[in-house]
Amino acid sequence: MSLRFDLIWEQAPAFLSGLWNTVWICAIGISLSLILGILLLLPLFSHHKVVRLPTKLLVEAARAIPFLMLAYLVYYGLPSLGLTLDSWSTAILTIVIYNAAYVADILRSAWVNLPKGQTEAARACGFTGVQLLRRIVLPQILIAAAPILGNQAIQVIRDSSFLAIITVPELTFTAKAVQADSFVPFESFITAALLYWVLCLLIEFGVQRLEWVRNFYGKA
Amino acid sequence: MAKLEQPIDAAQPLPVIQVVGLSKCFGSHPVLTDINLAIMPSETVCLLGPSGSGKSTLLRCMNWLERPSSGEVWLHGTQMGYQAGRKRLASEAELAKMRTRIGMVFQQFNLWSHLTVLQNVIEAPIHVQKRPKAEVVAEAEHLLAKVGLHNKLQAYPSQLSGGQKQRVAIARALAMKSDVILLDEPTSSLDPELVGEVLAVIQDLAQAGMTLVIATHEMKFAEEVASRVIFLDQGRIVESSDPKTFFAQPETARARQFLERYIHVGAI
Ligand SMILES: Nc1ncnc2c1ncn2[C@@H]1O[C@H](COP(=O)(O)OP(=O)(O)O)[C@@H](O)[C@H]1O
Ligand SMILES: [Mg+2]
């Protein structure tokens, strides 16, 4: 038995293109979901039950749906509601729905754990509403939640592998295509796995850079 | 229900803060009962009383961080929490605007941990009061120099001692140029050796004519600096007198007990 990584090397452009697709789909999906997750804080902390409770329910429901199921729902389910998306849009929409729910929940609990004095001092100084959220609460909960948000980003990258099933030409899809072409399943999949690992390491490195910021701020 | 006019005494200048018939309950538990008091310009009023007597709640009702269950708070002729000249509750934004006229200093400092010392001081003047940045920064530097922190402008709160944090918090309150500053046990969470530096700053403010309301357990400070002492017990004002009288010969048994216990504890 001999491993044929030379065949993988020949397919390097394909792997790079798959890797690139994974990177940009996840980057856009994660960025948009971060924004959406932050916006969801407004209804989640609304004083009105009729706004707060349904949002909470939706967020919890979205977190309970497995990634693949959500992708199926978007790709195969939405057309019966009259909305047909190509596989790229499906990929991004799935990531956004899936991850925004997690981001909202992570930030919600960071907010709950923010010392009450922080917002009290802000209110005493005349901050209210969105301004209070944007200038005092948000920077602090983003810093506090950075490690958990980083882990969540890693989760998204791993789950994005399911997008191969709905024919998004990302990394897993590429690996599958290469092994079918060249009959090198082990070499092909292990290469993809290593590339996923590199992506996760990069994110962990980024989070660790943030970590020192967090330690630096400490508690006031 | 809200009245439309502040009950003023024509013989006196307009109080900075006037509290009229204020009560506060948490659930069915009455914490403040029928509080009436007027804080005159440049007064330094010390709120004394055992812990749980309602000092913090009274201060927090004054700027409506805590909404009074009944009664009124007047700020220089405008009623806190109500629309100008009307019986309707103010919106959050209107309430916030009124709060900028009352500075507050907390026992736990509550500096914003993601901002530097300088940023803590300029944050609200720039973003709430919308004053020009250059002017606010210059004033903030001046204020921080006054409280002895000119070399800590770029430090983060986590890098400061408790006494330094509280002095920043005082500068932050001053930067709002409010009419009055409420201080809720400003030295109670400080190590004993850091209490003096904070009290010195507060004493300077009092001497400079700033209107101050201070909940405190520092009896010596109250005796020396207060222009008036208000003694609270179980949510009621039991005594209100000048500090000499209060500390030398309190009128009520409760105040005597309180002072005895304090002196007893202080002696240990
Ligand atoms: N948010 C709150 N909810 C319920 N009870 C409260 C709350 N804040 C204060 N209290 C109660 O009100 C009473 C007065 O408290 P406080 O004003 O903090 O007194 P002090 O500052 O004089 O120690 C205490 O019995 C306290 O338990
Ligand atoms: Mg208190």
Side-chain angles (χ1 to χ4, degrees):
Chain A
M1 181 194 92
S2 69
L3 294 175
R4 296 292 308 273
F5 278 102
D6 55 314
L7 293 177
I8 299 295
W9 183 246
E10 280 170 22
Q11 299 284 351
F15 272 101
L16 280 182
S17 144
L19 177 66
W20 169 241
N21 286 335
T22 291
V23 167
W24 75 258
I25 288 172
C26 289
I28 292 181
I30 289 170
S31 306
L32 290 178
S33 58
L34 205 55
I35 296 170
L36 182 58
I38 288 169
L39 291 177
L40 279 170
L41 290 175
L42 294 172
L44 276 178
F45 281 89
S46 165
H47 295 299
H48 304 289
K49 264 192 190 152
V50 282
V51 178
R52 194 174 60 236
L53 295 182
T55 316
K56 221 170 164 176
L57 198 71
L58 271 178
V59 165
E60 270 168 28
R63 289 190 335 131
I65 304 175
F67 186 89
L68 180 59
M69 185 58 64
L70 197 57
Y72 278 155
L73 259 177
V74 173
Y75 196 60
Y76 299 115
L78 285 188
S80 25
L81 302 181
L83 181 65
T84 307
L85 297 175
D86 61 25
S87 56
W88 301 106
S89 316
T90 301
I92 289 173
L93 184 60
T94 305
I95 291 178
V96 169
I97 297 174
Y98 176 74
N99 199 42
Y102 277 96
V103 169
D105 194 61
I106 289 166
L107 292 179
R108 188 195 58 77
S109 75
W111 190 346
V112 170
N113 288 317
L114 184 70
K116 257 193 105 130
Q118 294 285 311
T119 47
E120 287 223 312
R123 291 204 297 139
C125 286
F127 280 101
T128 44
V130 174
Q131 207 185 23
L132 173 69
L133 178 61
R134 195 171 78 79
R135 301 213 58 92
I136 305 296
V137 174
L138 206 49
Q140 298 197 52
I141 61 178
L142 283 174
I143 292 167
I148 309 174
L149 289 172
N151 281 342
Q152 181 56 30
I154 288 172
Q155 182 73 38
V156 167
I157 289 177
R158 289 193 294 149
D159 282 340
S160 73
S161 165
F162 283 120
L163 295 170
I165 298 174
I166 56 164
T167 70
V168 178
E170 45 68 75
L171 189 51
T172 304
F173 185 91
T174 308
K176 207 163 155 248
V178 168
Q179 70 87 21
D181 259 14
S182 320
F183 306 105
V184 281
F186 179 78
E187 295 87 333
S188 182
F189 287 130
I190 199 76
T191 303
L194 284 172
L195 290 172
Y196 277 114
W197 190 28
V198 169
L199 284 184
C200 294
L201 283 178
L202 284 176
I203 291 187
E204 266 172 23
F205 177 72
V207 167
Q208 269 163 17
R209 290 293 301 272
L210 277 176
E211 190 82 342
W212 75 255
V213 176
R214 207 162 77 101
N215 291 337
F216 186 66
Y217 286 128
K219 281 207 163 91
Chain B
M1 193 67 251
K3 292 208 204 74
L4 294 180
E5 272 179 38
Q6 182 172 6
I8 43 179
D9 176 352
Q12 295 266 344
L14 197 60
V16 181
I17 291 187
Q18 185 169 11
V19 175
V20 185
L22 183 143
S23 299
K24 175 69 187 176
C25 302
F26 286 111
S28 61
H29 175 52
V31 171
L32 294 173
T33 311
D34 194 28
I35 301 286
N36 292 284
L37 63 88
I39 311 288
M40 305 311 289
S42 298
E43 252 195 318
T44 301
V45 175
C46 281
L47 289 180
L48 306 181
S51 87
S53 58
K55 303 180 295 294
S56 299
T57 308
L58 176 53
L59 291 177
R60 295 160 56 81
C61 281
M62 286 183 182
N63 66 358
W64 270 56
L65 272 185
E66 213 66 81
R67 201 173 139 182
S69 305
S70 62
E72 300 156 23
V73 177
W74 291 86
L75 184 65
H76 257 323
T78 53
Q79 190 177 5
M80 275 303 285
Y82 289 86
Q83 293 180 3
R86 301 175 65 180
K87 289 190 178 185
R88 292 189 49 189
L89 279 177
S91 67
E92 272 301 308
E94 290 163 327
L95 190 55
K97 198 153 180 217
M98 293 185 223
R99 286 203 187 105
T100 62
R101 296 172 55 190
I102 305 178
M104 190 150 196
V105 172
F106 300 85
Q107 181 177 345
Q108 298 297 337
F109 328 123
N110 296 348
L111 294 182
W112 297 309
S113 59
H114 63 302
L115 300 178
T116 64
V117 165
L118 181 64
Q119 287 168 336
N120 262 278
V121 177
I122 65 177
E123 181 74 6
I126 290 179
H127 296 287
V128 175
Q129 296 179 318
K130 313 275 185 210
R131 279 155 51 194
K133 183 167 180 184
E135 171 197 313
V136 171
V137 169
E139 275 176 21
E141 287 172 352
H142 176 72
L143 285 172
L144 285 165
K146 231 169 63 175
V147 298
L149 290 168
H150 50 281
N151 56 350
K152 293 283 182 196
L153 300 185
Q154 305 307 327
Y156 280 89
S158 60
Q159 300 167 303
L160 302 180
S161 73
Q164 290 171 328
K165 284 183 202 177
Q166 197 59 299
R167 285 182 282 147
V168 176
I170 291 171
R172 175 172 71 178
L174 288 170
M176 305 287 295
K177 298 187 177 207
S178 37
D179 306 339
V180 51
I181 296 184
L182 314 176
L183 301 100
D184 189 2
E185 299 198 29
T187 58
S188 293
S189 44
L190 296 179
D191 294 335
E193 72 271 19
L194 300 177
V195 168
E197 64 189 54
V198 171
L199 291 182
V201 167
I202 299 172
Q203 185 161 9
D204 283 348
L205 293 181
Q207 272 155 11
M210 185 76 215
T211 311
L212 303 173
V213 186
I214 313 167
T216 184
H217 290 296
E218 296 291 333
M219 298 302 153
K220 199 163 154 297
F221 172 82
E223 187 165 4
E224 285 167 12
V225 178
S227 43
R228 190 150 52 99
V229 164
I230 289 175
F231 175 68
L232 275 177
D233 191 47
Q234 297 185 345
R236 291 173 189 272
I237 294 183
V238 178
E239 285 192 40
S240 169
S241 56
D242 72 282
K244 296 282 167 299
T245 317
F246 179 78
F247 285 103
Q249 40 203 218
E251 284 170 27
T252 59
R254 299 221 61 108
R256 253 194 312 279
Q257 268 171 10
F258 171 75
L259 287 173
E260 267 164 27
R261 198 169 350 152
Y262 174 77
I263 289 158
H264 180 65
V265 171
I268 289 175

